[in-house]
Amino acid sequence: MLIIGSHVGYKKDSGLVGSVKEALSYNANTFMFYTGAPQNTVRSSIDLDNVKEAEVLMKENGLDKNNVIVHAPYIINLANPDKFDFSCDFLSEELKRVNTFGMKYLVLHPGSHVGLGVDVGISNIIKALNLVLEKDDSNIMILLETMAGKGSEVGRCFDEIKSIIDGVNHKERIGVCLDTCHLNDAGYDLNNFNEVIDTFDKIIGIEKIKCIHINDSKNPISSHKDRHENIGKGTIGLDTLMKVIDCDKLKDVPKILETPYIDGNAPYKEEIELIRSVSKQ
Ligand code: FE
Ligand code: FE
Ligand code: ZN
């Protein structure tokens, strides 16, 4: 069965229950959320009763908690030495929050090297991940997201992700989140998805893929822009996105939509319905 959902809101008042309800309103069987606003570090305390209530709601609706994804805020930048301590501290706190919510996976943008070069960026990211994981006793997996290569983003190709994993001591705590818009914008031709996935398997190992962001792209291949488009309305197109979604080797991996709102409305119910209607799963 297709495991598909979208990113959903998380609000202080409705908590995780609100996020689950939003996912269910899209007929999704998984979802992704930020533990607060993605662009800032304001985080409210977690109401444990609310988490329990959300668990019951998930169970009642056949939504497996193990497929739910948390996304770390964008302001964490492990590659930037000026923000190093702040980013490490925030990531540590974020892992604790994910643990309290009872989720298994935290998606993280590897970072931007802010002009210092990819090698410096990668070594800073490795140093940070080792520091953070050394003193974290949860077994949450950090999923490094493949990036579009906008600005000085690190993680724009499989080799860069591989270099990061190579330097991390607790490799069992690191996985990968693919993003179809980012892959396209980074220069991977998703029309030949079998080739892309074979390349990934040779460099990193397919078993490391624990989440896939399904987005169309507003821009052509290799544009390094990172602007998401609605499913079937961009340069990747529905047929090609379905090659990713229906890839047999990735059928147990949760698929998450991060497509833009249309006229202020979430497009996820319709997009999930569209994908299910053409999926072979
Ligand atoms: Fe992301
Ligand atoms: Fe993404
Ligand atoms: Zn993106």
Side-chain angles (χ1 to χ4, degrees), residues 158-198:
F158 302 153
D159 290 299
E160 290 182 7
I161 303 269
K162 162 75 171 164
S163 298
I164 298 169
I165 298 173
D166 277 346
V168 174
N169 300 324
H170 288 280
K171 293 183 175 49
E172 77 286 357
R173 301 279 308 272
I174 306 289
V176 177
C177 171
L178 300 180
D179 183 309
T180 53
C181 170
H182 300 177
L183 287 173
N184 174 78
D185 291 15
Y188 290 98
D189 183 1
L190 298 177
N191 269 308
N192 305 319
F193 189 63
N194 283 334
E195 263 172 47
V196 173
I197 214 65
D198 282 350

Side-chain angles (χ1 to χ4, degrees), residues 38-50:
Q39 67 279 13
N40 72 40
T41 52
V42 180
R43 295 293 180 266
S44 50
S45 61
I46 301 165
D47 174 2
L48 292 176
D49 289 333
N50 181 287

Side-chain angles (χ1 to χ4, degrees), residues 145 179 182 213 258:
E145 182 165 354
D179 183 309
H182 300 177
H213 291 165
E258 304 173 299

Side-chain angles (χ1 to χ4, degrees), residues 27-90:
N27 295 323
N29 57 3
T30 188
F31 63 94
M32 180 174 83
F33 69 106
Y34 293 81
T35 66
Q39 67 279 13
N40 72 40
T41 52
V42 180
R43 295 293 180 266
S44 50
S45 61
I46 301 165
D47 174 2
L48 292 176
D49 289 333
N50 181 287
V51 174
K52 272 189 202 139
E53 195 185 327
E55 267 168 22
V56 173
L57 198 57
M58 284 188 259
K59 252 194 199 126
E60 282 173 353
N61 288 280
L63 197 158
D64 186 346
K65 203 178 168 180
N66 292 325
N67 292 325
V68 175
I69 311 286
V70 183
H71 198 307
Y74 311 136
I75 33 147
I76 293 180
N77 184 359
L78 304 179
N80 181 355
D82 293 338
K83 286 180 80 185
F84 192 82
D85 292 338
F86 159 82
S87 294
C88 288
D89 290 347
F90 197 84

Side-chain angles (χ1 to χ4, degrees), residues 192-209:
N192 305 319
F193 189 63
N194 283 334
E195 263 172 47
V196 173
I197 214 65
D198 282 350
T199 307
F200 185 96
D201 194 32
K202 277 188 201 112
I203 298 173
I204 297 173
I206 196 168
E207 71 286 347
K208 283 286 189 192
I209 302 171

Side-chain angles (χ1 to χ4, degrees), residues 2 231 237-247 274-276 278-280:
L2 196 55
I231 302 300
L238 181 61
D239 289 351
T240 299
L241 288 172
M242 290 315 295
K243 290 182 190 175
V244 181
I245 293 165
D246 279 340
C247 176
L274 168 67
I275 288 168
R276 282 214 181 99
V278 292
S279 171
K280 293 178 184 75

